[in-house]
Amino acid sequence: APQRPAPDQDALAATAERIAAAERPLLLVGGGARHRNDGRRIEHFAEQLGAGIFSTASGRGTVAEDHPLYCGVSGLYTVAPMDALWREADLVIALGSRLEETATFGWPDEAAQLPVVQAVLGEESLVMERPGAYVLGDAGRIVDGWAGLLADRRPPRDWPERVRTVRAALAGRAADRAEEAGKHAPEGAVPVARVLDALDRVVPADRVLVQENGLQDMWSYFFPHWSLGSQGGSVVPSEQTPLGFGAAAAVGVRLAEPTGRPVVAVVGDGAFNLFRGELPTVADAGAAVLYVVLDNGGYGWLQSNLDRVSGTGSRFAFTTSRPTGTEGLTSAYGLGYGRVTDADQLEPALTAAWRQVAAGTCAVVEVAVALADTPPGMSGSAGDFPEREDA
């Protein structure tokens, strides 16, 4: 049976005092808080503090993303105007996060400007580069302990309203960006924002999204272009970053999910290239996964980096327009297949594929996308990290 270590009461009280003194707190929910949110205790605690809620990529699915205080994924995946909250906050309360560089990307440059109260299970997960305090134990029990100690605290009025206002502004900016991408999509390509929007409508809300590490599929990390709502689940590569992880992991998620929840993998064609040889295994295992493959002609992240340093005249290339061969493989193994090159084809193709998956058969939908259709907040790639676009 799982054990849930209780926090030291002195450490709990000391960290509660730090939290009580904060006027503009943010709650960061990491992967260590997964399966620790019984009764929505984390959202209730955020309401008690008036704190904005961010998750790390691996922490998605822990809290309801349709909650009015939810602000999206932190660090690398936080864009204007939401990123302003990190400059304005006076305390971060990190639940079950090791504060990896992707989670803290874009935080204030001076670490001393933003203290962090860390709640983690073990000392090996502590990060000592930032000022603050920490308490060790089960994230759920720590939250319950803080909530009890701070029961009489009333949240400041201005900060929760600021969070809600910025959240609404982010939704407006996302809608504008999606519309603009649709206007400038080249012929034969579909805007990725349209893909996510159609997927949200077609597949039931309790789906589990399994994600990858490519360029275009990174769109799904950006809230609210993709939202889990209050029912959806998420599996991300986290530190396991080789291309193809998400495509393969989706099979494991499907076989491990006892309730029959929908499993969808959004992957780039480069990642799917590395996984394609496993389609016989998928067929033999009866893993009914919906694969949405964003086809930009190869390895978009590498191509965008090459274009940045060499321009468009390089004799090398990581992308090129060519047949993928997926249709023949899926046909050979009795799996579903569709290809979309026009936005009007998108929803019918996804609907047909989802019917096949719901009936117990894996299906692959390839969608032609443009290399220039970069995720929000990015002006291009710069090695391992993106270049930020101006707000």
Side-chain angles (χ1 to χ4, degrees):
Q3 297 184 20
R4 305 284 185 248
D8 177 88
Q9 291 301 305
D10 290 340
L12 190 71
T15 49
E17 288 183 10
R18 297 290 294 264
I19 294 170
E23 296 181 354
R24 300 178 302 281
L26 294 176
L27 199 59
L28 178 63
V29 181
R34 289 170 74 102
H35 313 299
R36 302 293 186 270
N37 195 21
D38 297 345
R40 296 292 179 190
R41 55 158 64 99
I42 294 176
E43 289 92 324
H44 295 320
F45 182 56
E47 293 166 3
Q48 184 179 356
L49 301 180
I53 308 170
F54 285 86
S55 62
T56 66
S58 60
R60 286 191 93 175
T62 303
V63 297
E65 297 191 356
D66 52 8
H67 191 281
L69 291 175
Y70 183 75
C71 300
V73 183
S74 66
L76 185 60
Y77 310 107
T78 300
V79 298
M82 197 65 79
D83 58 352
L85 295 180
W86 292 96
R87 296 189 294 271
E88 299 169 19
D90 61 359
L91 182 70
V92 175
I93 305 156
L95 299 175
S97 173
R98 291 188 292 268
L99 302 178
E100 301 94 335
E101 59 183 350
T102 53
T104 60
F105 185 78
W107 285 23
D109 293 335
E110 296 296 330
Q113 293 179 2
L114 189 57
V116 183
V117 169
Q118 299 178 63
V120 292
L121 191 60
E123 293 171 337
E124 70 281 357
S125 297
L126 288 172
V127 175
M128 308 307 292
E129 287 81 9
R130 293 182 177 273
Y134 71 90
V135 57
L136 304 179
D138 176 78
R141 299 192 71 173
I142 291 172
V143 168
D144 289 344
W146 281 338
L149 291 171
L150 300 173
D152 295 333
R153 183 184 185 276
R154 294 293 174 263
R157 183 174 300 176
D158 294 343
W159 183 241
E161 186 57 37
R162 168 68 173 149
V163 171
R164 293 186 180 94
T165 298
V166 174
R167 190 181 194 272
L170 178 67
R173 179 172 176 140
D176 291 343
R177 184 181 178 98
E179 182 180 1
E180 194 67 18
K183 293 177 182 177
H184 298 290
E187 186 176 353
V190 179
V192 181
R194 291 280 297 273
V195 178
L196 298 179
D197 187 51
L199 193 59
D200 181 50
R201 291 194 300 271
V202 168
V203 182
D206 63 341
R207 70 243 160 175
V208 179
L209 182 72
V210 186
Q211 293 167 284
E212 263 292 346
N213 287 294
L215 179 62
Q216 263 76 32
D217 53 79
M218 196 187 298
W219 268 89
S220 58
Y221 286 84
F222 287 88
F223 176 85
H225 293 282
W226 181 261
S227 174
L228 303 183
S230 57
Q231 301 179 57
S234 172
V235 174
V236 300
S238 193
E239 291 93 349
Q240 308 302 320
T241 55
L243 282 176
F245 170 91
V251 178
V253 174
R254 171 68 282 152
L255 298 179
E257 177 52 62
T259 63
R261 291 173 67 184
V263 177
V264 180
V266 174
V267 304
D269 60 314
F272 200 72
N273 285 342
L274 300 175
F275 170 75
R276 196 190 326 269
E278 297 300 334
L279 287 178
T281 304
V282 175
D284 291 345
V289 175
L290 174 57
Y291 285 101
V292 179
V293 181
L294 305 176
D295 180 8
N296 60 19
Y299 300 96
W301 188 267
L302 297 178
Q303 184 65 54
S304 61
N305 270 292
L306 178 64
D307 292 344
R308 178 177 60 88
V309 298
S310 300
T312 57
S314 173
R315 63 191 179 94
F316 301 103
F318 291 103
T319 61
T320 187
S321 179
R322 61 188 170 199
T324 65
T326 301
E327 183 176 10
L329 280 175
T330 52
S331 176
Y333 297 109
L335 307 180
Y337 175 81
R339 182 167 180 85
V340 177
T341 58
D342 184 276
D344 291 337
Q345 306 167 349
L346 187 59
E347 192 153 339
L350 289 175
T351 299
W354 169 243
R355 288 183 185 138
Q356 291 176 297
V357 173
T361 301
C362 172
V364 180
V365 178
E366 291 182 327
V367 184
V369 298
L371 183 65
D373 189 6
T374 55
M378 290 176 51
S379 60
S381 56
D384 291 337
F385 281 84
E387 292 179 329
R388 288 285 199 183
E389 68 182 8
D390 295 333

